[in-house]
Structure formats: structure tokens, C-alpha cells
Amino acid sequence: MAIEIPKSLDQLPTTRPRYVGRGIRRVEDVGLLTGRVEFVDDVVLPRMLHCAILRSPLPHARITGVDTQAAEALEGVTAVVTGEDARRWSLPAQSSPEGWGTHCIAGDKVHYVGEPVAAVAASSRRVAEDALELIEVDYEPFEAVADPFEAMKPESPRVLDAQETNVMLDRVFTWGDVDGAFADAAHVFQEKFRWNRLGANPTETFGCISEWDPMSLDLTIHGSIQSPGMFGLGRAATFGLPSNKVNIISHPHGGSFGGKGGTRGCDISCLLSRKVGGRPVKWIEDRGEYLLSGGGQAWDRHYEVALALDAQGIVTGLKVGLVDDLGATGEAYGAISAAKPLAAFTGPYTIPVAQYDLKLVATNKLPCGPYRGMGPPPHFFVLEQMMDIAARSLGEDPAEFRRKNFIPADQFPYTIPSGNEYDSGNYGEVLDQVLALSDYSAMRAAQAEARAEGRLVGVGVASAIEPGVFDWNAYAIVGMPGTGVPEGATVNIDILGNATVRVGFSLEGQGQYTLITQLVADYFGYEPEDVRVVQLDTQSAPPSFGPGGSRLGVAITGAVLGACERIREKMARVVAVLMQSEAENIEFMDGKFMLKGAPGAEMTVAEVAGTMLARSDLLPPDIDPRPEATHVWTAAGRTPADEQGRAKSYLTAAHAVHIVQVEIDAETGMVEIQRYCLADDCGTRLNPDTVEGQTEGSVVQGIGAALLEEYVYDEGAQPLTTSFMDYLMPTVFDAPKIEMVAVVTPSPFTPLGAKGCGEGAIHTTPAAVMCAINDALAPLGTSAREVPASPMRLWKLISEARNRASDESNDD
Amino acid sequence: MKPAPFEYVAPSTISGVLEILGQNDPDEVKLMAGGQSLMPLLNMRLSRPALVIDLGKVADLDFIRETDEGVVIGAMTSKRAVEDSELILREHPLLWESTVAIGHPPIRNRGTVGGSMAQADPASEYPAVALVLGAELVAVSARGERTIPADDFFVTFLTTCLEPDEVLTEIRIPRLAPRSGWAFQEVARRHGDFAIVGATATLRLEAGVVVDPRIAVFGVADRALRFSAAESLLTGQAASDEMIDEVASQAAAAVEDPLEDAHASADYRRHLAGVLVGRVLREAAVRAAEASTGA
Amino acid sequence: MASESPQQGGIRLKVRVNGEHHESVVDPRMNLADYLREELRLTATHVGCEHGVCGICNVLVDGQAVRSCLMLAVQVDGKEVRTVEGLAEGGKLHPIQEAFIEEHGLQCGFCTGGFMMALCELFDRNPSPSEAEIKEVVGGQICRCTGYNAILRSAQNAAAKMSASRS
């Protein structure tokens, strides 16, 4: 029987939702705050060994010899593995695009600094690191390439021996008559931008404990793993195992933001485990390893962008050229980040035609991986700078210029040129709200006064879309096959009526277990204490992808409500039998099943569950007596991508407008964020505290992107930012007070009308901060085109502009 | 990220320290004060001593004492103790202000005054402050005790004039002359980070002209730098904006081989040195003027 | 006990941790964080960077917050150590823990212990700290999830709770 998942809060079987739609004490917090939650490094297994990995100091070299004898002889060392073991027991990593993966330990050649060349299993991490110092590796250095434009030249050193070129992908996607739009344009603006490599840096690095039995080949991995199901499939592919041989036990983890990575280290610990007879081998990536060669380095991009406008200042065409430096291999799925902008290519605007000239290039740097936002944040940075360039040139206010280009509220669902469909929105209202919150005209007046004093004060207005609830079809252009991302939940009511929900993903920080608790409590008329959420390993859990692509809040709501609906349906049949009626005469509200037209004829959920479990003899034979159901939710209506990559991919489109005021110290180039205001619309807010927490966190990550964070490599591809002294993440002193207001336009397509919101403000913040900086710089006739806007870069721009100005006045 | 093996000893007397120093190859030994610079180097195996001598249990190195000339601070006195000292806040506000600019509270709880001086990190605050305040550093060895002016103490990157058998025991800081103005400023990417560049200055104003200016910067070169030529230029002049600009640009020009790293080019560092020297001189002049009128 | 002559094989150490007495023999190179986690199995002290920047591994040593990655285990000989495990007492959460729950001051919770221990020292020293004093302490720590706004609110809430319970 088909079930109906409630599309809005008033469709829940409750007079008034008591928990969904508001913040409650998080069920996750007590365990986290008392240190009782078990992170993977807290786990000690019997006979466990510790792994340390020897990494290449060179970006590109032939390995001519590896001598592990002395390391093997060190007291406390049980095994050493090298590239030879990797080739014997594993396959090259799967990659996107296909054919760009390598083995987890380098064989003949290293391709980037930090690539594993050998690893040790020993009695402790200390001894394992001692042993690394005894391994001798002979290298024959090659010339390395760090610049993607150099790498594209035929004479460039080739990164992968197996490939004829360093160009992983070179395609132009055209959606509509772009040439016509530019030919007919009244105004065309064109500019180049640089977004430097940055990354996730969750406070907990990756860690795992692997047990690979050499006889049965059963593989069990404990780890801080964001997507346990996917991770298990990946390991099965790498080791040539049937997928049911691999069991993943994900532990709660200290954030991820897409940047947990860790597959190479995990694969190495598996090889070591097999070599030591299946003993558990723990590998905890340390921060040095994370910064040198861990997950989540992302978005090393060179852009060339053009915007066409008609005489009324309406944008009529967009061309984006992207040279994306993905590093040495395609194993970490950095390419997906170049594909995801298709889900929101033209942002919140009515731009009717667009073109994407995309080049994915290999260099001798760490392979790029995912990071929160997965690609659109740099895309919106360039789009929003172009919008400002156009507005400034036409003498229009940036807020009003955006407004007149917004997709009107009555046009939803709206299909953008790159193929995705936006579900709903009210962009003008979002803009109005943030204009009011910020007192925009007063801000502009204060700015005018500051400018009159010669101060570099700027106000930035930026608007972006957060695609929510991803689908694989969004990444078809970089070779990801398939459609559909399932999320399952099992809801069980025990004999006393208490509920247990079983899911396949672990705690990561977004409060999903609290959300599940809220949903079940409101659905069954329970209190949060009556609901418990437990996580299962991949061999036991319902199908699950877990958090990622701003999906889990929506997806798990669908799964949990679907399972609740199934239980309700089953219980209604039971109640009908017990009350000698038909199921359609049984109503369910506020936790009670009631026989229509028979006041007082009612049973609570607990009573029904108790009866089902204790008296299955009373039930019709076709009713499974367990008050339990599993529902697996996937987004409906997703379409395969066409030859130009167009698909209905991400299910929801959240929207935000941010207004930021900055002041630049002209002498030092330091930027102070003086005000930060935003309005956003992510549909129904299932837990507003959680949404605000995600928003605040992603604003500050966005500020890090705009001002601080950068993985620096020198011209020879040596990484220079390998400690937290050099990779700079924001602290409280970099985090402004964030003023927020919410607009709620429910999605017509999702459970309860919620939209994906987990990646959040990082879509808009870097753009907004850079718009503000460029507004501050405008009187000097210069602008910042490179992210992050470090003080040195800004000082250089300012002093060059002033030197130009004084040269010009000298010329007069 | 685990240290290589080492032996460890924590003597309770300075003579115990000196004895162990004498018995070991100095290249194989590291003295540990608060450990806030040494521990990261050990963890990363960038420093690999065979023996760590922990000064943490040595008696009588943790004190702040007022003397007729100023203040004497034991080498193992924590930055937190300096920050918490009413005496320092009242009598040596420049030292206080530079102390709270160092790292973060837990770092200051462990990190010591002597440790920072002996580490001689070019981006560290204390060496520059020692230069402008005319501090003296006291070292002992089996050969006896010697007193080293700050001007002679800091040699280059992570290098002081201390001999391998010497241990820094105390820092003597003379009181600022009455009616002195002072200032301390730094530019760091984030609050509490090592500065890209910092500057500090002291001066007095007498009859409208600058007397005894002392100017130092840090983070710019291989060690904290004092600018004697710029100080001479300013001496006897009115602290006008023009004069200060000239002194600042002369100071900036006097930096040889500014440092260069991922955050700041040599040009940017030289430029910031000029900016900050200008700023601290202005601020110090304002304080000196207030002190003169207030007195 | 730390000795007067160099030792490598293992050094005897006596320490009180959260009021409990422990005696161990440790490798001199073992840092305090690893000692707490590996030897005493007190795993609420998390490790974020092992070079003193992130502040996640903060513990109190004789009442002062320190980075436990920047201290050797042997250096706490004879001292009193307090960790996150020592915050809640008698089955009751510490006011700082309560405040973090109320203000949504944590998301993944991995860094939170470091913030709480640093704040614990602050409130012990100064029952009614100013906003700037709170910010100085929070500013020594890295959190990647919250954006700090909620942590500041948590700290202010905790300060209010603690000064209310004192008066």
C-alpha cells in the first residue's frame, strides 16, 4: 500500500507539533560533553597494532629502491608494507574521471609530496614512527609541475605514466544560444579570477582500525567515516572483494565537511592487517599528515568569466571558463566539485543562457577532494563579483541590480539553463528582509561619511543558491554514473511502547539524531525521552548514504516519517481487528488510534504495540506482528543527465542574501568585518537552532575562505602550509556577530517542506565578503580578484593603485 | 607526530643542571623551559635531542622582584605570572602589554620569560621589548655568572650569544625613565599568532623635543632589530607627523634582507615595519606628552 | 618521580587526576595527552593538532589550563590534573556543560572539551569575567563547526550560572 509522507507540519498526526519546528535539548550533547561518546581513536581492540606512514618528500620522482630491513628489525615492529604489497593485494583507486587513480602506496613513482611510499605496523605509534626513520627510499627526482597552465602544455612533465596528457577533461557545455546573447548584448563584462586551494580541516582528522582476515578475506573497518556505505563499496572495489565481505563501523566523528578523506591511509592499514594475520591495525592521521596529504583540499581554480546584459541591465548570458587544478589523481573526487555548479549555474537570476568551458588538469599536488559546498562557493564568488562589476559600471545599487535579475516568486518550479529545477523561492522577500535587518540605507550613509574621511569602508551584497539533497546525476559530466541516493531508517516500538530508530550513519555534528527524536515524538505523541536513536554497521543498517550534499535532514525526515507511516498503517489494521471494524474507520491522532464515531474506543501506540508483541495469536495471519517498519527514501523525479549534463539533480534550492560591512586598513591590508547580516530561506525549519548553528558555522568557514585559508605550494609543488601555524582557520576574533533573519518558503517536493541547508552560508559568504572588500577598494580604482584576500594581497593592490594615481597626477 | 626517544632529567638546582650539561655533548642536549616552542619541535621530530634537561623543578628561577633599578624576573617565570603581576602592570606597562600579545592563555600559563628570550624566535615579542627597555640577561655556567645586555644577546634565527654550557637565569629590566611614553603594536594574521611584523618604542619629550628614543621591530629579520640611526635622527626633534614618517621610512629602509614566507613577502614586511614604527612612535609620543602634562 | 640523573627506560610518576591517585612508569617522550588517553584511558581529552595551536587537548594542571600535547607526562609528577571527565560531579553536569547544551554551543563536540577546560580556569580565577576576558580565552581555541557565536553565548551563560550559584 502506498504511504503518504507529510509534506507540511500540519499534515503530521498531531493537533500541534510540540517538537518539530523548534529547538530542543540535543540528544547528542550529554555524551559529547562528558567525553563518553566513543571517537575512533578512543577504541582499543585486543592485539591491536599502530600504523605510521612514510610519505614522499618529493613532488615527482622515480622510486629506485625501498629498503625496509632495518625497520623490520626494530623491536616492536610487526610488519612493513610497500608499493609491492599494494600491487599484490589491491587495485588502483577508483577515480573521477575514470582512469586517474593509483595504488594506495606508490610503486615506481611518486606524484606529489606526501604520497605514501611505505608503512609500518608496530606496538605503538611512537615505535611505528621510529621505524619510518629506518626505511631507506632512493628517489630519482623529476621535474614537477605545479601550475595547471604549464601542465596543459604538451612539453610539460606528465603526472601519471598511464595517461598521455595532464588534461583530465576538456569540454565546453553550452546551454542555449550563448553566442547570440553575447552578440546582441548592450554591455559585456569580462574578468579573470583566482580562487586558491583551501580545505575542510575538521577538528578530528581521519582515523580507522582495520581488520582484514587473510584466510576468509572478511574485512571490518572501524572509522570516522562520513558515508559508511559508499566507503565500504570503495574498499570492496579497491581490494577486489564482494561488497558483502566488507563491514564498516563508523564512529561519531569530529566534523567532516566532506574533508575526512582517509581512504589511502585506511587501505594501507588494511594491507598491514592482512600482512599481520588479520590483527587490528589502527591508523590515526595526525594533523601534519592531514595538512600535507589528507582529505578535503579543494578548489584550486582559475576562472575567466563573461556576463552579457541588455540595455535595461538585465543579464542575458553567462560564460564561465574554469581551469580546475585537481592535483595528481582523480581518486578523491575533486572533479565532482567542478560539476556541481550545474545544479545552480546561474544562481538566483533569470539568466537564460550559459556556457561552461571546463578543463580539469592534473599537477604534482595533492589530489583535490570534497569540501563543504562542493564547488559552488567559488562559482558564486565569481558570479557575484561579475554582478557587482556590472552594477557598478551601470551606476546601479548592487541590491536593486540583483533584485531586478532575480527569478520572480511566481515562476517556481523554475528550470535553469544548466538543467536543474529550483523547487521554490521568494528571493525579493529575502532581499527585503536583509535590507531591513541591516538598515542598508543607514549603512550606505555611514559608508559615505567614512569615505569622505578617506577610510576604506565597503558594503557587500551577495546572493546565492544552496542546492540541497544531491543526486549522482548532478556529476554525470565528470563520469559519475547513476541516479538515486537512498536513505533508510527502521523505527521499532518495543513492548512497553518505547521507540528505537536504527540508522546507518554516525554523529557528525548536525544534530540528526535530535531531529529524528523530534519527528518520532511528534508523530507518535511521545516525549523525546521515549525515543532512542542507534546506529548500525553497514552489514546491518538500512540503506544509507549519510550526510553530504545538504541532504540528510530532508532524506532522514522522509525515511523516518515513511517508517512511522508504515507502522501507523499496520497498527491501524491491528486496531481495526481488535475493534471489529475496518482499517479505514481507524483514525490516528496525538498518539491514539480511535474508532470513528465511537467516542472512547481508542488505543495508545504503546497498547497496540504491546498487544502485537504479546498476543500475535489475535492478529490476522498476514500481519507481521512486529511494530516495526523500515522506509527507504529517495528523491523522486530525478532525471538522467543529457549529453550537455542537464538533469533534474538537486531536489531543493535554498536561497540567501548576505550584507557585509568591512573596513580595510589601507596601510596594512588587514580587513575588519564590522557587520554581518543575512536572510535565508531553506523552507520549513525542522529545528531552527540547528539551522542557525549550521548557518553561523558556515559563515565563519566562508570568512576563513575569503580572508585566511590557503594551501600554499611553491613553484616546485612543495607544500608550504603544513601546520596550523600556517594554515589559518578563523578563531573567535575573526568571527563577527552574525545577525540573521529567516524567510520560510516550503518546498513543494520534500518531507515537511524542508530544504537542504547543511552546507549553508559558505555558498554566499566568500562572495559577500569579497563584494564588500571590492566596494571598499572601488574609490581607489582597483579590485581584488583573488581569494583569500590576504593582507599582503590587499596592501599590494592598494599601493599599486596609489602609485598609479600619483604617477598620473605627476604626469599632469 | 610523536617525539623521537630521548632521555629526561629534571634537576632541582642550577648546579645540578650545570653538572649534567658538563657531562654531555652540548649538541645532544636541549634545555626545556616552558616547552611551548620546544614541544612542537619535538613532536614533529624537527628537534631530536638525546637528552632533555627540564628546568621546571629548578628552585629559585620563578620570581618577579622589584629592585631599585627596576624589576628582575626569573627565567622560569611564566608569562601568566607576568600578566598577573600588579607590579608589572603598574611599573612596566610595556612589558605587560607585550606579554598579553603572546599566544593564548594556556600557552602563557606554561611559556616562560627566559624560554622566549633563549629561543630567540625572530617573530617573538620579548626580544624586541628587551631591546627597547635596555634589559640585561644573566647567564650562569660552571665558569661563573655573566650579565649580557639585550643589544648583544640576540644573534640570529633561534640563536643567542649563550654558550652551550650556559643557562639563562634572570632578566633585569630597568624602570622606564619618568614621563616616558611607550607603545607596542603588531600585525598578525590572527589574534595571538606570531606577528608578521611588530614594533615597540619608548621615548621622552623634554621642552617639546624627543629625548632617548628607542625603537625595535620583530618578525622582520633574522632577529629583533633596534634602529640606532633612526633613533639618532629622531633625537632632539619635535615628534611631528613629518618627522615620524621620515624616521619610520628610514627604519624600514635599514632592514637588511627582510624575511619572506607564505604569508608575507620581503617587500610587505619592510613596508609593515615602516608603518608600525610610525604608529608606535606616534602612540609613544602621545603617552609621553600626557605624562609630561599629567606630572 | 623525576630524577636527578637522566633516564630513558621509563620514569615513575605520581599524579592525581580528577581526584584519583595514579602511579605509572612512562616513557619520557610520552606527552600528557597520550598519557591520559593511553595509560589512564581518559579519552575525553581529544587531540586536534599535537602542536599547540588548536587547544582541543586542554586540561587543568594545578588549576591552570595547559595544552596537554605540549607537556610531557613526567612533568605532571606530583601535580593535580583535571580533565573533562572531572567536570560533571555526582551525576550532575557542570554549569559550563549545561550552558553549552542550552546555547547550542557544540555541534560535533570534538573540540568542546578544550573550550570547557579553558573556561573552567577562567571562571575559577574570575567569577564574573568581562566579555573581552571571555573572548581572550575562547580565542585560544579552534572550533570548525559553530562559528563561535554560540560558544560565546555558552560562555556568558555559564558565567551567569556560576556567579548565580556563588551568590
mmCIF file of all heavy atoms in Angstrom, chain A residues 192-213:
data_model
loop_
_atom_site.group_PDB
_atom_site.id
_atom_site.type_symbol
_atom_site.label_atom_id
_atom_site.label_comp_id
_atom_site.label_asym_id
_atom_site.label_seq_id
_atom_site.Cartn_x
_atom_site.Cartn_y
_atom_site.Cartn_z
ATOM 1 N N LYS A 192 38.973 38.008 -14.981
ATOM 2 C CA LYS A 192 39.622 36.771 -14.533
ATOM 3 C C LYS A 192 39.652 36.751 -13.010
ATOM 4 O O LYS A 192 39.790 37.803 -12.372
ATOM 5 C CB LYS A 192 41.068 36.713 -15.045
ATOM 6 C CG LYS A 192 41.168 36.453 -16.516
ATOM 7 C CD LYS A 192 42.634 36.332 -16.917
ATOM 8 C CE LYS A 192 42.737 36.061 -18.416
ATOM 9 N NZ LYS A 192 44.119 36.073 -18.880
ATOM 10 N N PHE A 193 39.577 35.563 -12.461
ATOM 11 C CA PHE A 193 39.601 35.402 -11.001
ATOM 12 C C PHE A 193 40.461 34.196 -10.630
ATOM 13 O O PHE A 193 40.604 33.254 -11.415
ATOM 14 C CB PHE A 193 38.182 35.171 -10.451
ATOM 15 C CG PHE A 193 37.236 36.305 -10.711
ATOM 16 C CD1 PHE A 193 36.422 36.294 -11.849
ATOM 17 C CD2 PHE A 193 37.163 37.389 -9.844
ATOM 18 C CE1 PHE A 193 35.552 37.344 -12.108
ATOM 19 C CE2 PHE A 193 36.286 38.430 -10.099
ATOM 20 C CZ PHE A 193 35.471 38.413 -11.234
ATOM 21 N N ARG A 194 40.950 34.261 -9.407
ATOM 22 C CA ARG A 194 41.728 33.135 -8.884
ATOM 23 C C ARG A 194 41.187 32.773 -7.511
ATOM 24 O O ARG A 194 41.050 33.639 -6.630
ATOM 25 C CB ARG A 194 43.197 33.551 -8.759
ATOM 26 C CG ARG A 194 44.080 32.530 -8.045
ATOM 27 C CD ARG A 194 44.526 31.423 -9.000
ATOM 28 N NE ARG A 194 45.555 30.579 -8.384
ATOM 29 C CZ ARG A 194 45.327 29.324 -7.956
ATOM 30 N NH1 ARG A 194 44.144 28.770 -8.098
ATOM 31 N NH2 ARG A 194 46.300 28.617 -7.414
ATOM 32 N N TRP A 195 40.828 31.524 -7.363
ATOM 33 C CA TRP A 195 40.438 31.002 -6.044
ATOM 34 C C TRP A 195 41.508 29.997 -5.650
ATOM 35 O O TRP A 195 41.693 28.988 -6.316
ATOM 36 C CB TRP A 195 39.059 30.335 -6.122
ATOM 37 C CG TRP A 195 38.606 29.745 -4.821
ATOM 38 C CD1 TRP A 195 39.150 28.658 -4.185
ATOM 39 C CD2 TRP A 195 37.537 30.201 -3.979
ATOM 40 N NE1 TRP A 195 38.485 28.431 -3.003
ATOM 41 C CE2 TRP A 195 37.491 29.348 -2.851
ATOM 42 C CE3 TRP A 195 36.607 31.238 -4.070
ATOM 43 C CZ2 TRP A 195 36.557 29.497 -1.824
ATOM 44 C CZ3 TRP A 195 35.670 31.386 -3.048
ATOM 45 C CH2 TRP A 195 35.651 30.531 -1.939
ATOM 46 N N ASN A 196 42.207 30.276 -4.553
ATOM 47 C CA ASN A 196 43.284 29.386 -4.146
ATOM 48 C C ASN A 196 42.761 28.196 -3.351
ATOM 49 O O ASN A 196 41.710 28.258 -2.709
ATOM 50 C CB ASN A 196 44.323 30.163 -3.334
ATOM 51 C CG ASN A 196 45.180 31.039 -4.225
ATOM 52 O OD1 ASN A 196 46.006 30.548 -4.994
ATOM 53 N ND2 ASN A 196 44.942 32.345 -4.169
ATOM 54 N N ARG A 197 43.548 27.168 -3.393
ATOM 55 C CA ARG A 197 43.211 25.897 -2.740
ATOM 56 C C ARG A 197 43.020 26.077 -1.225
ATOM 57 O O ARG A 197 43.823 26.731 -0.566
ATOM 58 C CB ARG A 197 44.378 24.953 -3.021
ATOM 59 C CG ARG A 197 44.233 23.550 -2.558
ATOM 60 C CD ARG A 197 45.507 22.768 -2.923
ATOM 61 N NE ARG A 197 45.478 22.288 -4.289
ATOM 62 C CZ ARG A 197 45.623 20.995 -4.628
ATOM 63 N NH1 ARG A 197 45.827 20.083 -3.704
ATOM 64 N NH2 ARG A 197 45.592 20.629 -5.887
ATOM 65 N N LEU A 198 41.967 25.519 -0.709
ATOM 66 C CA LEU A 198 41.710 25.561 0.741
ATOM 67 C C LEU A 198 41.099 24.224 1.135
ATOM 68 O O LEU A 198 41.065 23.307 0.312
ATOM 69 C CB LEU A 198 40.806 26.736 1.108
ATOM 70 C CG LEU A 198 39.293 26.566 0.950
ATOM 71 C CD1 LEU A 198 38.605 27.802 1.461
ATOM 72 C CD2 LEU A 198 38.890 26.291 -0.477
ATOM 73 N N GLY A 199 40.639 24.113 2.360
ATOM 74 C CA GLY A 199 40.092 22.801 2.701
ATOM 75 C C GLY A 199 39.380 22.692 4.023
ATOM 76 O O GLY A 199 39.276 23.652 4.775
ATOM 77 N N ALA A 200 38.901 21.468 4.278
ATOM 78 C CA ALA A 200 37.903 21.258 5.320
ATOM 79 C C ALA A 200 38.473 21.348 6.734
ATOM 80 O O ALA A 200 37.948 22.067 7.576
ATOM 81 C CB ALA A 200 37.248 19.891 5.127
ATOM 82 N N ASN A 201 39.555 20.625 6.987
ATOM 83 C CA ASN A 201 40.159 20.640 8.312
ATOM 84 C C ASN A 201 39.168 20.473 9.462
ATOM 85 O O ASN A 201 39.098 21.315 10.376
ATOM 86 C CB ASN A 201 40.957 21.926 8.518
ATOM 87 C CG ASN A 201 42.431 21.697 8.274
ATOM 88 O OD1 ASN A 201 43.054 20.891 8.960
ATOM 89 N ND2 ASN A 201 42.973 22.366 7.281
ATOM 90 N N PRO A 202 38.428 19.372 9.494
ATOM 91 C CA PRO A 202 37.633 19.098 10.695
ATOM 92 C C PRO A 202 38.582 18.968 11.885
ATOM 93 O O PRO A 202 39.753 18.621 11.707
ATOM 94 C CB PRO A 202 36.967 17.753 10.380
ATOM 95 C CG PRO A 202 37.823 17.123 9.331
ATOM 96 C CD PRO A 202 38.389 18.266 8.532
ATOM 97 N N THR A 203 38.059 19.245 13.094
ATOM 98 C CA THR A 203 38.982 19.238 14.245
ATOM 99 C C THR A 203 39.499 17.836 14.547
ATOM 100 O O THR A 203 40.581 17.690 15.083
ATOM 101 C CB THR A 203 38.308 19.824 15.494
ATOM 102 O OG1 THR A 203 37.066 19.162 15.696
ATOM 103 C CG2 THR A 203 38.072 21.313 15.333
ATOM 104 N N GLU A 204 38.708 16.826 14.204
ATOM 105 C CA GLU A 204 39.236 15.470 14.284
ATOM 106 C C GLU A 204 39.675 15.076 12.885
ATOM 107 O O GLU A 204 38.909 15.189 11.933
ATOM 108 C CB GLU A 204 38.143 14.496 14.762
ATOM 109 C CG GLU A 204 38.620 13.061 14.873
ATOM 110 C CD GLU A 204 37.491 12.024 14.715
ATOM 111 O OE1 GLU A 204 36.603 12.247 13.875
ATOM 112 O OE2 GLU A 204 37.513 11.018 15.409
ATOM 113 N N THR A 205 40.894 14.571 12.770
ATOM 114 C CA THR A 205 41.365 14.088 11.474
ATOM 115 C C THR A 205 40.708 12.731 11.195
ATOM 116 O O THR A 205 39.885 12.262 11.968
ATOM 117 C CB THR A 205 42.892 13.918 11.514
ATOM 118 O OG1 THR A 205 43.201 13.090 12.637
ATOM 119 C CG2 THR A 205 43.575 15.264 11.665
ATOM 120 N N PHE A 206 41.120 12.094 10.106
ATOM 121 C CA PHE A 206 40.587 10.760 9.815
ATOM 122 C C PHE A 206 41.275 9.725 10.702
ATOM 123 O O PHE A 206 42.437 9.864 11.052
ATOM 124 C CB PHE A 206 40.820 10.400 8.341
ATOM 125 C CG PHE A 206 40.252 9.054 7.967
ATOM 126 C CD1 PHE A 206 38.921 8.932 7.642
ATOM 127 C CD2 PHE A 206 41.050 7.915 7.980
ATOM 128 C CE1 PHE A 206 38.383 7.691 7.325
ATOM 129 C CE2 PHE A 206 40.523 6.674 7.658
ATOM 130 C CZ PHE A 206 39.181 6.561 7.332
ATOM 131 N N GLY A 207 40.553 8.691 11.043
ATOM 132 C CA GLY A 207 41.166 7.576 11.758
ATOM 133 C C GLY A 207 40.404 6.294 11.480
ATOM 134 O O GLY A 207 39.218 6.330 11.126
ATOM 135 N N CYS A 208 41.103 5.174 11.606
ATOM 136 C CA CYS A 208 40.427 3.890 11.366
ATOM 137 C C CYS A 208 41.153 2.772 12.091
ATOM 138 O O CYS A 208 42.302 2.913 12.492
ATOM 139 C CB CYS A 208 40.373 3.587 9.870
ATOM 140 S SG CYS A 208 42.001 3.388 9.135
ATOM 141 N N ILE A 209 40.448 1.680 12.268
ATOM 142 C CA ILE A 209 41.065 0.428 12.729
ATOM 143 C C ILE A 209 40.585 -0.650 11.761
ATOM 144 O O ILE A 209 39.372 -0.860 11.604
ATOM 145 C CB ILE A 209 40.630 0.063 14.155
ATOM 146 C CG1 ILE A 209 40.918 1.205 15.120
ATOM 147 C CG2 ILE A 209 41.348 -1.210 14.610
ATOM 148 C CD1 ILE A 209 40.296 1.010 16.500
ATOM 149 N N SER A 210 41.523 -1.275 11.083
ATOM 150 C CA SER A 210 41.158 -2.238 10.036
ATOM 151 C C SER A 210 41.531 -3.649 10.460
ATOM 152 O O SER A 210 42.599 -3.873 11.030
ATOM 153 C CB SER A 210 41.882 -1.892 8.734
ATOM 154 O OG SER A 210 41.583 -0.561 8.372
ATOM 155 N N GLU A 211 40.642 -4.568 10.153
ATOM 156 C CA GLU A 211 40.897 -5.989 10.414
ATOM 157 C C GLU A 211 40.578 -6.748 9.134
ATOM 158 O O GLU A 211 39.406 -6.841 8.754
ATOM 159 C CB GLU A 211 39.984 -6.502 11.534
ATOM 160 C CG GLU A 211 40.223 -5.854 12.877
ATOM 161 C CD GLU A 211 39.168 -6.297 13.887
ATOM 162 O OE1 GLU A 211 39.324 -7.385 14.465
ATOM 163 O OE2 GLU A 211 38.189 -5.553 14.085
ATOM 164 N N TRP A 212 41.621 -7.241 8.478
ATOM 165 C CA TRP A 212 41.402 -7.967 7.223
ATOM 166 C C TRP A 212 41.936 -9.382 7.399
ATOM 167 O O TRP A 212 43.151 -9.598 7.425
ATOM 168 C CB TRP A 212 42.105 -7.246 6.074
ATOM 169 C CG TRP A 212 41.661 -7.732 4.727
ATOM 170 C CD1 TRP A 212 40.638 -8.585 4.443
ATOM 171 C CD2 TRP A 212 42.249 -7.381 3.469
ATOM 172 N NE1 TRP A 212 40.529 -8.777 3.097
ATOM 173 C CE2 TRP A 212 41.498 -8.050 2.462
ATOM 174 C CE3 TRP A 212 43.306 -6.555 3.082
ATOM 175 C CZ2 TRP A 212 41.801 -7.930 1.108
ATOM 176 C CZ3 TRP A 212 43.603 -6.430 1.746
ATOM 177 C CH2 TRP A 212 42.857 -7.107 0.756
ATOM 178 N N ASP A 213 41.046 -10.309 7.521
ATOM 179 C CA ASP A 213 41.419 -11.695 7.757
ATOM 180 C C ASP A 213 42.013 -12.287 6.482
ATOM 181 O O ASP A 213 41.329 -12.350 5.451
ATOM 182 C CB ASP A 213 40.171 -12.484 8.194
ATOM 183 C CG ASP A 213 40.523 -13.898 8.596
ATOM 184 O OD1 ASP A 213 41.148 -14.616 7.775
ATOM 185 O OD2 ASP A 213 40.185 -14.284 9.713
#
